[in-house]
Amino acid sequence: MVRYSFLSLLRNALSYHENWPQAWRSPEPKPSYEVVIVGGGGHGLATAYYLAKEHGITDVAVIERGWIGGGNTGRNTTIVRSNYLWDESAALYEHALKLWEGLSQELNYNVMFSQRGVMNLAHNQHDLRETARRVNANRLNGIDSEMLTASQVKAFCPVIDLRAGGRYPVLGASLQRRGGTARHDAVAWGYARGADARGVDIIQNCPVTGFIIENGRVQGVETAKGPIRARKVGIVAAGHSSVLAEMAGFRLPLQILPLQALVSEPVKPIIDCVVMSGAVHAYVSQSDKGELVIGAGVDHYVGYGQRGSLMVTEETLAAICELFPLFRRMRMLRQWGGIVDTCPDASPILSKTPVEGLYINCGWGTGGFKATPGSGHVFAHTIAQDRPHALNAAFSIDRYQTGYLIDEHGAAAVAH
Amino acid sequence: MVQRFRLPEGGLIDRSRPLEFRFDGQLLEGFAGDSLASALLANGIHLVGRSFKYHRPRGIFTAGPEEPNALLQLGEDPRTDPNSRATQTELVEGLSARTQNCWPSVRFDVGEVNSLVSRLFPAGFYYKTFMWPASLWMQYEAVIRRAAGLGKSPTRRDPARYDKTFAHCDVLVVGAGPAGLAAALAAGRSGARVLLVEQDHSLGGSLLGDPEDRIDGLPALAWVAEAEAELAAMAEVRILRRTVAYAYNDHNYVLLHERVTDHLSGEPEHLPRHRLWKLRAKQVVLAAGAIERPLVFADNDRPGIMLASACRTYVNRYAVKPGERAVVFTNNDSGYGAAIDMRAAGMQIAAVVDLRENPEGPLTDAAEAEGIRVLAGHAVTGTQGRLRLSGIRVAPLNAEGDRVFGAGEPIECDLLAVSGGWSPTVHLFSQSGGKLAWSEEQGCYRPGEAAQATLCAGAVNGAFGLAGTLREGHQAGEQAASAAGFPPKQSKKLHFEAGDESFLPARWLWLVPSDKPLGRGGKAFHELQNDVTAADLHLALDEGYSSIEHVKRYTTTGMGTDQGKLGNLNAIGIVAERLRRPLPEVGVTTFRPPYVPVSFGAFAGRDVDELLDPIRKTAMHGWHEKNGAVFEDVGQWRRPWYYPRGGETMHEAVNREVEACRASIGILDASTLGKIDIQGPDSAEFLNRVYTNAWSKLGIGRCRYGLMLGEDGMVSDDGVTARLGEQHYLMTTTSGNAAAVLAHLEEWLQTEWPELRVYMTSVTEQYATASISGPNARALMAELTDDIDLSPEAFPHMSLTHGTVAGLPARVFRISFTGEAGYEINVSARSGLALWQALVTAGEKYAITPFGTEAMHVLRAEKGYIIVGQETDGSVTPIDLGMDWIVSKRKDFVGKRSLSRPDMLLPDRKQLVGLLTEEPDTVLPEGAQLVEQLKPEPPMTMLGHVTSSYYSPNLGRSIAMALVKGGRDKQGQRLWAPLADGRKIACSICEPVFVDPKGERLHA
Amino acid sequence: MLLIDCPYCGPRAELEFSYGGEAHIVRPKDPEALSDAEWGDYLFMRKNTKGVFLERWCHSHGCRRWFNVARDTVTYEILAVYEMGSEPPALPERNLV
């Protein structure tokens, strides 16, 4: 792997950038691998990367039905934070956040992790109480988190209208300064490059059409490019998790929903932090390119169409216009949808499955991007060791039988 | 103020109405009917901006919505609009426009230094650097952010109003060019309800820039005027101008954005600025035309390089010469039309450079007949001129089209009109789910199989001749109307006799070769705004970003404000060539909405400020306001929080209210509680199934508290339900949950138990409720009613009766949420205020005290009553709350089975407890986390959190409730609440009932 | 914005409806007889069919009645609307992946 640096950029400029190597190869699949990862999003690629790096398992293929990073990895609003309420989630997301903090250097690929601070707004007494609860829990879990008064909110984000038209006044907020945003595509590409350099095969345009299961144990996958044998298979397919689980003969506690996002036309820097409001279903930050990046709430029907309905956009933009009346003249440039796999408790599943050797990583709902490095890291451990990492033990699929749910609806900020 | 480049005559402008406007402070003049772009060109101004990355000088490139360069900052803060396309901005008196993304000026821009070191900024350079040292990224990023962006956001609240409307029609026609007009005429004549939308302020589409055509024996624009008049006279036809159909959603739902006042100077009071139309169409005819493509060649971005069709539009529609001496560079016939029209306008045409080797047809003949030099089989290999084009080089091309011979002949010119063929505007068709089909011959994607009730007509369909366009439009209009139930009437037939040019085949060269290798000489841009070059595409592919979506994201191709309208197909072509694959195999990137950018304000419409979400107010709200209440939001309700008197703090006011309630009498507006009327013979059985406790034996006239669970066993709501009659119950719910509870009940009833004869209605809004409680409550009641026996025997706690209170027919409950004897008096909502005033007046002698939600919370916490949503959070069972007493062992109910899952039976679940601080005056903050063992630093193991906490004036100390792991077995144990401010509050666990545990006051 | 043909009111915009997820999940007659796994299945496990999916909607801002819908979850095309308690009508087979 050629190291990326300013010097290498300079050197290649001299040769008109004609000699850069491929960031990753596009090999034909081998007949068999030790581990096959189904799904070439950020989580799947990170899983492959850490399998190779941390567990020495390099005989790995990542099988992607389309192009890597083309699902929710490339469609989310790129917010990274770890201020989750419950101990189990806080530990998992904080693990991810710590990995984010060194990720550009780890991957030698600038993922532009920008710790510009994430504010979650409180609009009524109930919000304030819940915010305090979460901030206190975060702090005692060793996670940076602060409670802001309304005037501190204004100081941190001067363009916000605290009165917000009188309907949803801003009474306070929580702030995680270490939270922020990252460049979503770069995360997939960086992990792909890192995994590829360690021997992982990345197979694109290769839908998985079935699982080879013998005596209750997975033996590989059927794909558009023929069968690929594997000792272990990990499913990391977000919105397509239920489809794949059905192929493997089990069901998941998911609801697959469209989630919309949009960007404005680019403008010069105007908002320098991430603002989230669960009460009115709106998140906003400004990308390095200058676009306002805005996330909406979910559409409430099962949908694989990567699109949702107007009323969700209307609701979100009305909320943005309320909190930021100066943005009413800004224009929506581009709108899109993802397919999110939501769990009843708004927490993910990183688990073994009823099929031996088959593992699943899903249920991240609206908030998976922020967990990408941590998710891949502990899921790689789960696959390599055939048992969960301490950080994902609680996120087993069994919890839907025992009732050990980790209800993060408050923290997810979107009412599922 | 001389419009030096204005033609002496012609054009669709009103020369009698000169308009003054400012461009970067300079006072200029144009005419009514001008676009900002045409007015600038009339004044000889091409240079209007700087590119995103390299800050290269850029000029007006198009005459339409695909404009990548002429993005200007219009108006003054707060009415300022960044990134406004000059090509689509109608000129109005006093318009002020400024260039963007340049400093100190568009002519001298410091950022142009990027251009000098542009070799350091290939596609994706930022992924490869700025990583060392890690700590500096935020500083690097700040610089990048300042350099990026285009215009400036307004910095103050937008004073404009926006609006939204719903609409339905039989046939929607998108685009009022020849195809759209023909379609609208055909559909309109059949009697169908037709909506014709046009982004421009004038109808005519391509005919506006091409007025020499004749239709039905009339000059094109006369035909347009006739069509317009006929359509205007049809009762069922509506024409929306300045309106863009920007998105095509499922089930023929099309979204329109109408710019209502942007073309007026000033904002008339009675009009919204923009209006969003939410349109359901039975049938849609897309007649959205086509967009001309540029050619990709070295240094193809200088001011003075424009689309050939734009040059024609400026000459014909706006009577503006885009230059003095032009060269046309084309791969198809379109360029010739531009050359002929420009020449007719008095411009010199230095040459037509045609990529095709032997272009021989009527247009080339016409050009040569006019003495225009045609350089067939030639290519433009480079251009000169920094702030304005000064010349080009032209060289012969080989047969394969992959190299040129020699450095080329220089030709002086100040305008280069380019045409790379046409891309049908398939955006809406693709958004609708329709499949696109590649046409090798026409070099474009056309609509293929439709997914919805969609027809396409004219250039959007690849029909580039006028007669064919008209025919297609007419046919689509008739067909759509028929499908919507309006067969064509035979009375009138259209006869289109328009010239139909026979086009010569074009020569598709996605990347025009230069004498210097790609990336080593000039820059060949396919994406002007974001500065993406063919070399960038090659780099992305070489680095393995081979999916077209990867190429797009890595290079930012198609991500400018025109969203790839100009450049995408060229990019796909260049990628296909580099990959040596047929173009259709490369695929296309998704055509995402909106077609053109749409203001946020339009999406919000009038749902802003107080109207964002309805505010619900009770019948007594005015009284609360008059009496100084401070309000809090509870769900959609706005409820009195407390009523400060004089200079009271909240703490003082709440203490006074709480004390008054225990000492004498308090009055609370309880109208917001949800009320559900339940009737039918199976009502009791229904209640048995949805509540944890049993209901069969509840007597008429009696009330019972009920707890409702989700099927997951978690507490979801609570409230008192009264039995009004044999088959008649009234359920109350929490204020915030009323609608959700009714929905939950209806779902169970209709979907699981349709056999139960039960009927439910929300009556929350029908009643106003005043709740009085305190030792003097009965005495006050006695003064206001003479037909209710108030004795505890006749009217005990948890019962109800009907009678007259203060002269009003009332339903009175004897229930209490404060722990005092209390009455909830329900009267018809319109009498709520009368009741309230009567109670307050009669209660004066008892010093009756209105109290708000805060005092209510203190009073109920003193009694240990829970609030759903405060003591519960969706993870709490009735057992956790210590409410086993209300959970029936004998019957099934929603959620019961979940209570015996393994995790529900663990001894260390979080359980509801009381907390007393060791320092009685210290009030624990709600939301404080509790630990058993303090450590100097986090992490610390948390056992639970404080759910409710107040100062109890009756006890003279603070009280709190909390959910604590295994809390019930930890009575008396000491816990700590370590707070963010460094304080560590010690407290001990107790029973969560602080006042009158035996309920003697309640039953008094 | 889907156009949903309420069996009681006629076609109305999605805005007027609320969603009820997968249809034909019947509450067990005797929940206490179920194992934790079976109960968990009933509570949480869902098909999320990619293709024709049978689901429940409620015309919550109209007649407030629940009904079933057969909808393609990829194209969002609605193939049938039928009353609560009735069996789904015969539907064309679709390629689901």
Side-chain angles (χ1 to χ4, degrees):
Chain A
M1 189 171 93
V2 168
R3 276 194 71 76
Y4 291 157
S5 68
F6 184 72
L7 275 180
S8 70
L9 194 66
L10 205 60
R11 214 166 31 243
N12 278 281
L14 298 176
S15 56
Y16 301 93
H17 300 289
E18 286 168 359
N19 299 317
W20 285 107
Q22 286 194 337
W24 59 85
R25 300 159 296 128
S26 294
E28 283 304 305
K30 297 190 287 183
S32 81
Y33 291 90
E34 188 169 353
V35 178
V36 159
I37 302 294
V38 181
H43 290 240
L45 293 163
T47 304
Y49 174 83
Y50 291 114
L51 274 172
K53 176 167 184 256
E54 306 273 324
H55 304 279
I57 302 175
T58 57
D59 185 22
V60 176
V62 176
I63 315 269
E64 166 56 44
R65 72 194 297 270
W67 38 282
I68 58 168
N72 295 339
T73 297
R75 293 165 184 271
N76 70 88
T77 51
T78 80
I79 299 170
V80 177
R81 62 190 175 90
S82 68
N83 55 352
Y84 278 69
L85 175 64
W86 300 102
D87 296 349
E88 296 86 349
S89 339
L92 182 60
Y93 288 98
E94 178 64 12
H95 179 56
L97 181 52
K98 291 211 170 94
L99 290 172
W100 274 113
E101 285 172 327
L103 196 59
S104 293
Q105 288 69 33
E106 161 86 26
L107 297 177
N108 178 235
Y109 201 103
N110 191 349
V111 299
M112 305 185 193
F113 179 45
S114 172
Q115 295 180 288
R116 52 190 58 250
V118 176
M119 275 203 304
N120 293 76
L121 303 181
H123 299 280
N124 55 40
Q125 298 304 317
H126 178 73
D127 282 358
L128 280 176
R129 196 157 42 230
E130 291 303 307
T131 303
R133 178 186 178 192
R134 189 160 43 83
V135 167
N136 284 318
N138 293 158
R139 295 177 74 95
L140 294 177
N141 271 322
I143 293 170
D144 83 296
S145 191
E146 303 165 39
M147 188 88 186
L148 301 188
T149 62
S151 56
Q152 288 170 320
V153 169
K154 183 78 180 165
F156 193 71
C157 180
V159 290
I160 206 164
D161 183 350
L162 293 179
R163 216 186 127 261
R167 190 61 190 93
Y168 285 101
V170 178
L171 304 183
S174 68
L175 168 64
Q176 185 175 28
R177 291 183 194 270
R178 286 165 62 239
T181 57
R183 172 88 187 109
H184 52 11
D185 294 326
V187 179
W189 300 340
Y191 273 120
R193 176 166 164 265
D196 177 272
R198 286 170 172 79
V200 172
D201 282 356
I202 295 167
I203 320 282
Q204 303 187 70
N205 300 307
C206 182
V208 166
T209 54
F211 292 86
I212 306 166
I213 297 169
E214 290 160 12
N215 302 322
R217 184 173 176 93
V218 76
Q219 302 290 349
V221 292
E222 301 283 357
T223 78
K225 298 187 179 180
I228 301 172
R229 309 286 294 189
R231 285 211 314 120
K232 293 176 176 179
V233 176
I235 302 175
V236 200
H240 280 81
S241 297
S242 288
V243 174
L244 287 160
E246 195 188 342
M247 290 177 195
F250 59 95
R251 283 191 299 165
L252 292 167
L254 299 176
Q255 191 157 36
I256 305 295
L257 304 173
L259 178 67
Q260 304 182 47
L262 61 100
V263 294
S264 73
E265 294 179 317
V267 287
K268 293 291 175 191
I270 181 79
I271 175 169
D272 199 29
C273 59
V274 182
V275 178
M276 310 178 67
S277 168
V280 291
H281 289 187
Y283 329 137
V284 62
S285 65
Q286 189 174 14
S287 71
D288 285 351
K289 198 162 179 255
E291 298 158 331
L292 297 177
V293 183
I294 293 170
V298 289
D299 282 79
H300 289 276
Y301 48 79
V302 171
Y304 289 88
Q306 296 191 323
R307 63 190 187 277
S309 294
L310 170 73
M311 58 201 203
V312 175
T313 319
E314 285 179 287
E315 201 177 291
T316 294
L317 285 176
I320 294 290
C321 288
E322 194 80 350
L323 293 169
F324 303 96
L326 74 163
F327 290 157
R328 290 179 190 175
R329 293 179 95 89
M330 294 289 287
R331 290 184 286 251
M332 178 208 278
L333 175 63
R334 184 169 65 246
Q335 181 185 24
W336 65 92
I339 313 170
V340 298
D341 43 332
T342 59
C343 277
D345 53 352
S347 283
I349 298 167
L350 294 131
S351 179
K352 299 170 77 163
T353 70
V355 181
E356 220 182 310
L358 183 62
Y359 309 84
I360 189 145
N361 178 347
C362 68
W364 292 95
T366 60
F369 177 71
K370 65 175 79 69
T372 305
S375 161
H377 191 258
V378 299
F379 194 52
H381 181 281
T382 306
I383 294 173
Q385 312 285 331
D386 191 37
R387 61 186 158 80
H389 188 281
L391 290 173
N392 67 313
F395 295 90
S396 146
I397 199 166
D398 294 343
R399 72 182 190 270
Y400 298 98
Q401 292 178 19
T402 65
Y404 190 84
L405 300 192
I406 304 159
D407 195 323
E408 286 286 357
H409 280 106
V414 182
H416 285 270
Chain B
M1 291 207 303
V2 184
Q3 299 181 38
R4 208 153 52 83
F5 288 82
R6 184 74 70 181
L7 294 168
E9 57 189 28
L12 305 173
I13 48 168
D14 183 352
R15 291 171 199 259
S16 70
R17 287 174 55 209
L19 301 172
E20 282 190 342
F21 68 103
R22 278 179 191 278
F23 174 69
D24 273 344
Q26 188 187 355
L27 192 63
L28 299 169
E29 191 192 81
F31 290 123
D34 259 329
S35 70
L36 176 55
S38 69
L40 287 168
L41 290 172
N43 288 281
I45 295 172
H46 279 251
L47 175 66
V48 286
R50 292 281 175 158
S51 65
F52 193 80
K53 192 155 83 170
Y54 303 131
H55 288 252
R56 284 170 69 113
R58 291 286 163 81
I60 296 164
F61 193 77
T62 75
E66 68 276 27
E67 176 60 37
N69 294 342
L71 304 180
L72 298 173
Q73 183 94 30
L74 297 187
E76 304 300 330
D77 204 10
R79 286 189 175 85
T80 186
D81 294 296
N83 311 331
S84 301
R85 294 176 298 276
T87 49
Q88 286 202 306
T89 302
E90 290 176 48
L91 193 66
V92 294
E93 178 64 30
L95 182 82
S96 140
R98 272 162 295 139
T99 47
Q100 308 180 145
N101 201 35
C102 50
W103 184 85
S105 78
V106 71
R107 297 183 68 81
F108 178 77
D109 175 19
V110 168
E112 198 173 347
V113 68
N114 288 357
S115 204
L116 302 177
V117 288
S118 67
R119 265 161 73 186
L120 289 177
F121 305 135
F125 72 95
Y126 28 76
Y127 299 125
K128 294 176 177 145
T129 181
F130 304 125
M131 286 180 282
W132 186 90
S135 58
L136 271 190
W137 164 243
M138 295 292 286
Q139 276 84 335
Y140 291 132
E141 191 189 32
V143 174
I144 292 171
R145 285 169 80 85
R146 274 198 298 275
L150 289 168
K152 289 186 178 135
S153 159
T155 66
R156 287 184 285 141
R157 169 180 279 264
D158 178 10
R161 273 194 306 127
Y162 298 83
D163 210 350
K164 296 195 275 198
T165 188
F166 290 95
H168 293 80
C169 68
D170 296 311
V171 178
L172 167 70
V173 179
V174 177
L181 285 170
L185 282 171
R189 286 171 186 169
S190 72
R193 175 166 295 181
V194 176
L195 193 64
L196 173 64
V197 301
E198 171 53 50
Q199 63 186 3
D200 208 322
H201 58 85
S202 296
L203 307 190
S206 61
L207 300 174
L208 295 169
D210 208 354
E212 293 301 304
D213 280 312
R214 295 184 77 82
I215 303 172
D216 277 352
L218 294 171
L221 293 178
W223 179 83
V224 170
E226 271 200 1
E228 189 172 350
E230 186 181 344
L231 290 168
M234 292 181 189
E236 292 295 328
V237 175
R238 179 166 195 164
I239 303 173
L240 289 175
R241 293 174 177 76
R242 303 185 175 90
T243 303
V244 180
Y246 75 82
Y248 195 146
N249 290 358
D250 291 295
H251 302 180
N252 261 27
Y253 202 59
V254 183
L255 307 176
L256 318 175
H257 181 243
E258 181 186 9
R259 286 164 285 122
V260 183
T261 64
D262 282 352
H263 63 292
L264 306 174
S265 25
E267 279 166 19
E269 268 295 297
H270 66 291
L271 290 175
R273 177 174 179 240
H274 294 165
R275 186 181 285 128
L276 184 74
W277 290 73
K278 305 189 261 186
L279 176 75
R280 186 81 65 182
K282 284 191 187 145
Q283 298 284 320
V284 174
V285 176
L286 296 176
I291 293 174
E292 195 170 24
R293 291 194 297 265
L295 288 165
V296 183
F297 55 96
D299 291 329
N300 57 345
D301 66 325
R302 300 187 193 279
I305 301 179
M306 295 172 78
L307 288 180
S309 58
C311 295
R312 281 186 98 176
T313 296
Y314 288 119
V315 167
N316 294 328
R317 177 173 177 181
Y318 298 108
V320 169
K321 284 190 293 184
E324 299 284 9
R325 182 178 160 84
V327 171
V328 174
F329 183 24
T330 188
N331 66 359
N332 70 97
D333 283 358
S334 303
Y336 290 86
I340 292 166
D341 286 359
M342 286 194 285
R343 188 177 156 82
M347 291 167 61
Q348 278 185 56
I349 308 298
V352 173
V353 180
D354 194 330
L355 287 169
R356 299 175 293 185
E357 294 190 299
N358 296 302
E360 279 173 29
L363 275 168
T364 53
D365 292 349
E368 288 192 328
E370 295 203 28
I372 295 175
R373 179 183 178 204
V374 175
L375 291 164
H378 276 63
V380 175
T381 56
T383 67
Q384 288 82 45
R386 198 172 75 86
L387 299 179
R388 177 72 193 268
L389 184 73
S390 59
I392 61 167
R393 284 179 295 116
V394 177
L397 190 65
N398 69 350
E400 291 74 34
D402 56 8
R403 50 179 291 240
V404 289
F405 301 105
E409 169 199 350
I411 301 178
E412 269 183 38
C413 59
D414 63 354
L415 181 75
L416 180 63
V418 294
S419 177
W422 292 81
S423 291
T425 310
V426 294
H427 300 65
L428 290 185
F429 181 82
S430 177
Q431 284 177 24
S432 77
K435 295 206 165 40
L436 300 179
W438 172 250
S439 163
E440 190 65 40
E441 181 198 350
Q442 291 186 302
C444 64
Y445 276 103
R446 293 192 310 206
E449 192 189 336
Q452 302 196 34
T454 318
L455 296 166
C456 295
V460 71
N461 224 6
F464 296 132
L466 183 54
T469 290
L470 291 162
R471 261 195 308 278
E472 277 195 6
H474 187 251
Q475 198 182 341
E478 278 193 344
Q479 204 178 324
S482 287
F486 296 86
K489 294 180 180 152
Q490 295 303 318
S491 55
K492 208 167 171 186
K493 266 278 179 208
L494 277 183
H495 296 282
F496 298 115
E497 291 161 12
D500 216 353
E501 307 93 293
S502 52
F503 291 103
L504 296 178
R507 182 179 189 183
W508 307 121
L509 276 191
W510 303 110
L511 175 57
V512 176
S514 174
D515 52 325
K516 301 204 181 81
L518 189 66
R520 301 196 178 195
K523 288 191 187 308
F525 294 97
H526 63 275
E527 159 79 45
L528 288 166
Q529 188 181 103
N530 280 350
D531 278 335
V532 194
T533 64
D536 290 322
L537 296 176
H538 285 191
L539 172 63
L541 295 172
D542 294 351
E543 288 195 273
Y545 300 88
S546 48
S547 151
I548 191 66
E549 286 282 355
H550 284 153
V551 172
K552 165 185 159 184
R553 287 156 183 264
Y554 191 64
T555 64
T556 73
T557 291
M559 298 182 87
T561 58
D562 71 316
Q563 290 289 289
K565 290 187 186 72
L566 272 182
N568 260 13
L569 194 68
N570 284 334
I572 292 167
I574 294 166
V575 167
E577 273 175 0
R578 182 70 166 185
L579 294 175
R580 300 179 198 288
R581 288 167 62 186
L583 188 143
E585 274 185 24
V586 170
V588 288
T589 54
T590 312
F591 289 90
R592 299 196 190 286
Y595 173 65
V596 292
V598 174
S599 54
F600 287 0
F603 286 95
R606 299 193 184 199
D607 301 341
V608 290
D609 300 332
E610 296 223 319
L611 300 180
L612 176 64
D613 195 15
I615 297 175
R616 298 174 77 183
K617 297 173 180 174
T618 71
M620 294 81 114
H621 191 84
W623 189 94
H624 306 319
E625 279 184 335
K626 245 179 265 159
N627 286 272
V630 175
F631 293 90
E632 74 159 328
D633 289 338
V634 180
Q636 288 178 322
W637 290 103
R638 193 147 278 180
R639 301 191 70 181
W641 193 14
Y642 58 98
Y643 300 81
R645 284 185 191 161
E648 275 180 340
T649 61
M650 176 176 174
H651 181 66
E652 290 161 353
V654 171
N655 282 351
R656 174 178 50 72
E657 290 170 18
V658 168
E659 282 172 329
C661 207
R662 295 249 185 264
S664 177
I665 183 168
I667 179 168
L668 173 84
D669 182 352
S671 310
T672 60
L673 282 186
K675 294 175 270 292
I676 300 170
D677 187 273
I678 303 175
Q679 301 194 36
D682 298 318
S683 298
E685 173 58 19
F686 180 67
L687 292 172
N688 274 335
R689 296 185 189 185
V690 298
Y691 273 135
T692 58
N693 49 348
W695 292 81
S696 307
K697 292 186 182 146
L698 183 70
I700 294 172
R702 302 307 303 257
C703 308
R704 185 167 287 169
Y705 174 78
L707 206 53
M708 206 178 279
L709 311 185
E711 189 75 307
D712 62 355
M714 303 302 157
V715 174
S716 64
D717 204 66
D718 69 344
V720 167
T721 295
R723 186 167 187 185
L724 302 177
E726 189 57 38
Q727 305 182 354
H728 191 185
Y729 294 79
L730 184 78
M731 174 187 286
T732 62
T733 74
T734 54
S735 297
N737 266 351
V741 169
L742 179 58
H744 168 81
L745 297 179
E746 284 283 5
E747 180 179 345
W748 281 105
L749 179 64
Q750 291 183 37
T751 68
E752 281 298 334
W753 309 315
E755 72 282 5
L756 294 185
R757 287 159 301 163
V758 178
Y759 311 94
M760 288 178 285
T761 308
S762 165
V763 293
T764 306
E765 302 278 358
Q766 275 62 39
Y767 292 94
T769 309
S771 172
I772 56 173
S773 50
N776 286 318
R778 183 182 303 140
L780 177 59
M781 276 298 285
E783 293 185 25
L784 292 172
T785 180
D786 47 20
D787 58 359
I788 300 175
D789 181 350
L790 297 165
S791 67
E793 300 73 35
F795 194 16
H797 181 58
M798 295 305 269
S799 63
L800 88 149
T801 189
H802 291 81
T804 310
V805 178
L808 300 164
R811 177 184 285 161
V812 185
F813 293 82
R814 186 158 170 215
I815 52 178
S816 169
F817 195 43
T818 61
E820 297 297 318
Y823 300 90
E824 275 192 18
I825 308 151
N826 290 268
V827 296
S828 126
R830 65 178 165 206
S831 305
L833 185 56
L835 171 72
W836 184 272
Q837 279 169 331
L839 288 165
V840 169
T841 308
E844 270 172 19
K845 64 173 83 67
Y846 305 109
I848 191 168
T849 302
F851 65 101
T853 50
E854 186 67 15
M856 175 186 82
H857 285 187
V858 178
L859 289 159
R860 65 90 202 176
E862 289 179 340
K863 283 291 295 178
Y865 296 152
I866 62 153
I867 288 186
V868 171
Q870 189 160 340
E871 270 63 56
T872 72
D873 60 4
S875 71
V876 178
T877 70
I879 319 301
D880 300 337
L881 293 171
M883 294 174 80
D884 319 42
W885 53 271
I886 204 173
V887 179
S888 170
K889 303 260 185 308
R890 280 195 290 274
K891 55 147 195 160
D892 188 23
F893 54 85
V894 171
K896 184 178 191 183
R897 174 65 183 83
S898 289
L899 298 177
S900 57
R901 292 176 295 170
D903 191 59
M904 303 300 123
L905 306 173
L906 296 177
D908 70 338
R909 283 186 63 81
K910 289 186 181 168
Q911 296 160 339
L912 185 72
V913 296
L915 284 181
L916 291 172
T917 51
E918 291 183 359
E919 174 57 55
D921 285 341
T922 304
V923 181
L924 282 163
E926 287 171 352
Q929 296 283 341
L930 300 162
V931 304
E932 219 158 13
Q933 276 171 347
L934 278 178
K935 291 186 192 159
E937 290 297 325
M940 285 181 241
T941 306
M942 288 168 268
L943 290 187
H945 75 286
V946 176
T947 58
S948 294
S949 177
Y950 311 95
Y951 182 78
S952 162
N954 296 306
L955 296 170
R957 60 154 301 134
S958 69
I959 56 171
M961 292 156 88
L963 287 167
V964 175
K965 272 188 188 167
R968 274 202 292 279
D969 290 336
K970 294 189 163 128
Q971 291 298 322
Q973 196 177 314
R974 180 196 239 192
L975 298 179
W976 294 91
L979 303 181
D981 61 13
R983 284 185 298 156
K984 296 167 179 66
I985 301 176
C987 51
S988 58
I989 294 178
C990 63
E991 287 294 334
V993 185
F994 303 94
V995 166
D996 188 26
K998 295 208 180 99
E1000 285 156 358
R1001 302 174 69 93
L1002 198 62
H1003 293 278
Chain C
M1 185 83 68
L2 308 179
L3 184 67
I4 300 169
D5 194 3
C6 170
Y8 311 102
C9 306
R12 296 287 189 277
E14 179 194 339
L15 193 65
E16 298 182 15
F17 297 83
S18 50
Y19 188 64
E22 186 173 331
H24 306 293
I25 295 172
V26 180
R27 186 169 199 266
K29 279 274 169 288
D30 183 6
E32 300 301 319
L34 266 56
S35 68
D36 291 327
E38 288 165 335
W39 181 250
D41 270 10
Y42 155 71
L43 268 186
F44 297 122
M45 299 300 167
R46 298 294 180 265
K47 284 192 201 128
N48 295 299
T49 311
K50 186 176 183 183
V52 179
F53 186 53
L54 306 178
E55 60 192 16
R56 308 177 311 157
W57 288 83
C58 176
H59 194 188
S60 46
H61 295 286
C63 63
R64 268 175 41 202
R65 292 184 70 175
W66 283 86
F67 54 92
N68 293 315
V69 171
R71 186 177 57 94
D72 187 315
T73 56
V74 179
T75 66
Y76 297 178
E77 185 186 351
I78 292 177
L79 297 125
V81 171
Y82 58 102
E83 291 188 8
M84 266 304 141
S86 57
E87 288 301 308
L91 294 164
E93 282 288 317
R94 293 205 169 191
N95 185 2
L96 301 187
V97 184

